Amino acid sequence: MTPELLTPLDLAFWNIESAGHPLHMGGLFVFDADGPDAARRAAGLLAARAARIPGLRTRIRPVWLPVGAAARHVAPDFDPLDHVRLAEPVRDFHTAAGILMQQPLERGRPPWAAHVLPGADGTSFAVLFTFHHAHADGMRAASYVLSLLDPVAAAGASAPAAAPRKRTNGSGPGLPDLRTLSGMVRGAVTEAGRGLSIASAMALAARVVPASPALASRASGARRADGAVVDLRDVNRVREATGGTVNDVLLAVVAGGLRRWLDKRGDGSGGVRPRALVPVSLRDPADPGAPGNRLSGYLARLPVDEAEPLARLRAVREDMARNKKAGPASGAGAVALLAEFIPSLGHRFGGGLIARSGRLFYDLLVSSVPLRGARGLTLADSPVREAYPLAPLAPGQSLAVGITTYEDRVCYGLLADAVAVPDLDLLARSITEEATELAAACGT
């Protein structure tokens, strides 16, 4: 396999990581064990299947040219047993996941891992899948996971596609004609204008005072994870009663959950409207395994200070409608697109500065990761009960929220700085309570 250069956004994710602040995403899948040796059998299956998925064999290495760039190479000594690890029995899957999420992936190997966590009670087990954000975005990571579960379909996580050949126009090998050159110039001007527009929006967003001290962190490096489960049928009934989208309802539940949490812990929700970065996939759904991150985002105001659940939902719906009207290529939420304007050396040496700048214009990440068409998932004949996405935690921020739907459940995965948020379980309960109250307010 020919080495594949990282895109500017991939390179940014690779370079903003530090030893005390890893940048990988996770997915905690909880299974009902079909027997006492289910976890051991699951680990064996994962290792065997990982060996057949080309994308899981690639590691990231620097290259000479372009200076400061990096590329994916096939690891000559790849051994899936270096990545699939069977742990000792644990009493709480979320607690174990939080500890594992604070450990950086080995950068000399393909940057992913699957930690199999047997339950201490013997009736369940979990698998924490972790992928470095330079290796996969949420949709591609999900395609890898689905290829590792039953029924296995290794082709679902295919190797990176070959780059299309450049077409010539009769003016010499690879040389553009005047019309093509004119189009290139217009495109460059348009791209530059878009970059300035995004940067201006970021500057305006950065002028806002941070929403709440509870959402800020001094980056202790310690992690805590937890989760909340909401009935998808209630969410759909709320959407049908109020309009908008399912994602509007899920974001409103986050806003209400934060309000309850802040009030319970004594910080107060008055005047609090945190800026939530909501990633938007630019990936073709028909090609979830294509290489590289393909992301933009929306910057949404969460109406935490609004007392009424339906008013919170209405505010979220209106804000997201404005974002969608503007599109994912504009506004401060499209910050990921600015990676294209930074040269490789800028990513290499400015990674720390870029990492710390995120706190200036958004307060928390709220990421929705779809498991497209996934129903009845199993591993070693043990069915998936819950699936919690764990989004990366940006430097200076105390909380990241991941959301996915699986069968009739919505799973909220919470990852937090363990020092700044010692009461993450309280936030998990608050999210569940908010979903219940919102459904009741709609008469469902």
Side-chain angles (χ1 to χ4, degrees), residues 15-412:
N15 284 296
I16 65 178
E17 179 179 67
S18 65
H21 210 103
L23 198 75
H24 51 263
M25 68 190 78
L28 182 66
F29 285 71
V30 181
F31 299 81
D32 289 322
D34 80 326
D37 65 339
R40 179 188 57 77
R41 288 186 286 112
L45 282 172
L46 290 172
R49 292 170 180 176
R52 301 198 295 265
I53 299 177
L56 297 182
R57 304 175 66 92
T58 59
R59 63 182 177 180
I60 296 174
R61 307 280 284 180
V63 296
W64 288 105
L65 293 173
V67 178
R72 296 184 184 87
H73 301 252
V74 173
D77 55 350
F78 173 72
D79 185 346
L81 295 179
D82 292 332
H83 302 264
V84 179
R85 297 149 190 175
L86 180 61
E88 294 296 319
V90 301
R91 293 189 178 279
D92 186 276
F93 297 133
H94 292 292
T95 298
I99 294 171
L100 290 168
M101 286 295 291
Q102 70 192 34
Q103 301 173 8
L105 292 164
E106 296 184 52
R107 292 172 74 92
R109 291 175 172 165
W112 68 275
H115 299 272
V116 183
L117 310 171
D121 60 3
T123 64
S124 61
F125 69 92
V127 181
L128 174 67
F129 297 96
T130 57
F131 298 91
H132 197 286
H133 218 322
H135 186 63
D137 57 20
M139 190 176 290
R140 193 183 192 201
S143 76
Y144 281 140
V145 171
L146 295 178
S147 295
L148 290 167
L149 301 181
D150 301 324
V152 65
S158 57
R165 294 182 179 180
K166 293 183 180 179
R167 299 181 60 183
T168 61
N169 298 284
S171 55
L175 297 177
D177 61 18
L178 290 177
R179 288 173 299 177
T180 303
L181 184 60
S182 175
M184 290 169 62
V185 171
R186 287 197 303 271
V189 172
T190 300
E191 288 295 303
R194 184 180 68 176
L196 288 172
S197 175
I198 295 171
S200 299
M202 289 174 60
L204 289 174
R207 295 171 57 188
V208 180
V209 177
S212 170
L215 296 176
S217 162
R218 294 183 179 178
S220 70
R223 296 287 179 268
R224 189 182 303 274
D226 215 312
V229 178
V230 169
D231 193 321
L232 179 58
R233 293 165 295 189
D234 286 345
V235 171
N236 282 324
R237 284 191 283 265
V238 170
R239 180 194 60 79
E240 290 165 2
T242 61
T245 68
V246 166
N247 278 338
D248 294 341
V249 179
L250 300 182
L251 277 173
V253 169
V254 172
L258 287 171
R259 175 184 175 83
R260 292 169 179 272
W261 174 62
L262 290 173
D263 287 343
K264 290 175 183 176
R265 75 197 317 249
D267 290 324
S269 57
V272 174
R273 287 194 168 234
R275 302 157 298 178
L277 181 61
V278 182
V280 176
S281 177
L282 303 180
R283 183 178 295 278
D284 182 353
D287 191 16
N293 277 270
R294 304 184 182 192
L295 292 171
S296 184
Y298 297 137
L299 195 66
R301 279 281 176 183
L302 297 185
V304 172
D305 60 346
E306 174 58 59
E308 296 298 326
L310 291 178
R312 284 195 293 271
L313 174 55
R314 184 165 56 251
V316 166
R317 186 171 62 241
E318 292 170 354
D319 196 4
M320 289 302 291
R322 284 191 294 269
N323 271 294
K324 292 172 185 175
K325 184 177 181 180
S330 64
V335 58
L337 302 180
L338 291 183
E340 301 286 340
F341 298 92
I342 301 175
S344 301
L345 275 177
H347 286 296
R348 173 72 63 86
F349 295 109
L353 178 62
I354 294 171
R356 292 188 295 272
S357 68
R359 187 69 184 92
L360 296 175
F361 70 93
Y362 75 99
D363 300 297
L364 77 161
L365 181 71
V366 183
S367 179
S368 180
V369 181
L371 292 175
R372 297 187 182 278
R375 296 189 65 84
L377 296 174
T378 63
L379 179 61
D381 297 322
S382 298
V384 172
R385 186 172 74 218
E386 296 154 5
Y388 300 93
L390 298 174
L393 194 60
Q397 295 175 339
S398 69
L399 176 67
V401 180
I403 310 172
T404 198
T405 59
Y406 178 66
E407 296 190 340
D408 61 351
R409 295 177 288 280
V410 178
C411 297
Y412 286 83

